[in-house]
Amino acid sequence: MSRIETSLFSLGYMDILARRDSPVHRLESRAKLITTMFFIITVVSFGKYELSMLAPFFIYPVYLVSAGDLPVRWLMKKVLYVAPFALMIALFNPVLDRSIMVHLGGVGFSGGWISFFSIMMRFCLTVSAALAMIACTGFRSVCLAMDRLGMPRMFAVQLLFLYRYLFVLAEEALRMSRARTLRSFGERSSMKSYAGLVGSILLRTINRAQRIHLAMTCRGFDGRIHIMRQERFGMKDLVFIVFWCSLFMVLRSFDIPQALGVLVTGALT
């Protein structure tokens, strides 16, 4: 399987995961979206030196992965793909902030290292929770939930079209890559040939996108996304939101790891 076919399968794999049946998949999409947004806001609200209080928040992405029967390896690979962006943000913290703040086992840790790990931990929490939520819901349902929660419809539709056009672009790239391989008998092409290939893919994708838009207009598309099956917000969705948001507020208000540490050390002494 070529690299383009692998990328196309990776894009569609999230939709395959969203069609599974589990307690998390059966929840209404707005309940999962509201809870995940509250989770992200709570995690981001921590200060740069508040590292230990972030640890208990892993319970939410772990719950989504386990209850939604999601592949952990696939999720970790997706998180690692975007990790360099967070790493670039946190990279210079240990250099700029060298004041020692914590001593562990005789080793002093500066404020820069603590803020470095805080940024990376917040990145892992927010990205893994968002990816797990989308994998349990489906990108199309997430866009529809945004629309029903009051987000500007144009923004939600643009997000949905952007996601769908990624498949159009990948299919065009796959078709042209196969044609190039057949013409060159599998030999590697020059950079000039690759530049021409990229330009042709862009033009073909734009033409195909225009044909898709004309076909949608002919079928009466008016900017709204109509679906056959309407989701209904029930009691279990309300319980899901109230339970998890209450838990996030408790974890945000109390330093659970520090309390457990004091309890354990007090019991040992």
Side-chain angles (χ1 to χ4, degrees):
M1 185 180 289
S2 68
R3 190 172 299 177
I4 299 175
E5 285 176 301
T6 306
S7 302
L8 185 61
F9 178 76
S10 179
L11 278 175
Y13 188 59
M14 191 174 289
D15 290 333
I16 296 173
L17 292 175
R19 288 195 287 270
R20 290 184 175 180
D21 186 22
S22 73
V24 182
H25 285 79
R26 288 191 288 272
L27 290 169
E28 213 262 357
S29 56
R30 283 176 293 182
K32 288 179 277 188
L33 181 62
I34 291 172
T35 307
T36 305
M37 291 299 297
F38 193 87
F39 171 81
I40 292 174
I41 292 172
T42 308
V43 169
V44 173
S45 68
F46 280 95
K48 61 181 181 179
Y49 298 133
E50 295 176 305
L51 183 60
S52 63
M53 292 180 69
L54 289 169
F57 281 87
F58 277 104
I59 189 174
Y60 182 62
V62 169
Y63 167 76
L64 291 179
V65 171
S66 58
D69 193 21
L70 300 177
V72 178
R73 186 178 179 183
W74 170 83
L75 185 66
M76 294 302 296
K77 284 175 66 177
K78 297 299 177 188
V79 173
L80 288 177
Y81 283 156
V82 291
F85 296 101
L87 192 62
M88 288 300 296
I89 295 174
L91 190 62
F92 296 102
N93 283 28
V95 180
L96 299 175
D97 187 359
R98 299 184 179 182
S99 56
I100 302 298
M101 296 188 65
V102 177
H103 288 85
L104 289 176
V107 180
F109 288 90
S110 66
W113 279 111
I114 294 174
S115 60
F116 173 84
F117 288 116
S118 174
I119 290 173
M120 296 307 297
M121 189 177 289
R122 279 182 284 175
F123 161 78
C124 291
L125 284 168
T126 53
V127 173
S128 60
L131 284 174
M133 186 270 295
I134 295 173
C136 293
T137 310
F139 196 80
R140 182 179 62 91
S141 298
V142 172
C143 293
L144 294 174
M146 289 179 181
D147 183 27
R148 281 179 288 176
L149 286 173
M151 177 176 287
R153 178 165 297 157
M154 184 61 69
F155 184 72
V157 172
Q158 289 294 326
L159 272 180
L160 185 60
F161 282 173
L162 175 65
Y163 179 67
R164 299 310 303 174
Y165 280 137
L166 284 177
F167 291 91
V168 176
L169 179 63
E171 288 175 1
E172 291 293 341
L174 177 61
R175 189 177 296 112
M176 296 193 68
S177 176
R178 282 175 177 167
R180 184 199 62 79
T181 304
L182 292 174
R183 286 197 300 270
S184 62
F185 299 99
E187 294 183 0
R188 301 187 65 177
S189 302
S190 62
M191 289 300 295
K192 185 178 180 181
S193 300
Y194 278 112
L197 185 67
V198 171
S200 299
I201 291 172
L202 180 61
L203 292 175
R204 289 168 67 94
T205 306
I206 292 173
N207 290 333
R208 187 169 175 186
Q210 289 176 341
R211 291 199 301 273
I212 293 172
H213 180 258
L214 287 175
M216 292 173 62
T217 306
C218 292
R219 290 181 173 87
F221 177 69
D222 58 353
R224 296 183 180 182
I225 304 169
H226 301 280
I227 56 174
M228 297 295 293
R229 185 176 64 88
Q230 294 288 342
E231 292 182 309
R232 292 185 178 180
F233 194 90
M235 181 57 70
K236 63 178 181 180
D237 305 306
L238 181 62
V239 171
F240 180 81
I241 295 175
V242 171
F243 171 75
W244 282 107
C245 292
S246 302
L247 181 61
F248 298 153
M249 292 177 67
V250 170
L251 296 178
R252 181 66 181 89
S253 303
F254 302 99
D255 193 345
I256 305 296
Q258 185 180 16
L260 289 175
V262 171
L263 185 65
V264 170
T265 54
L268 292 177
T269 56

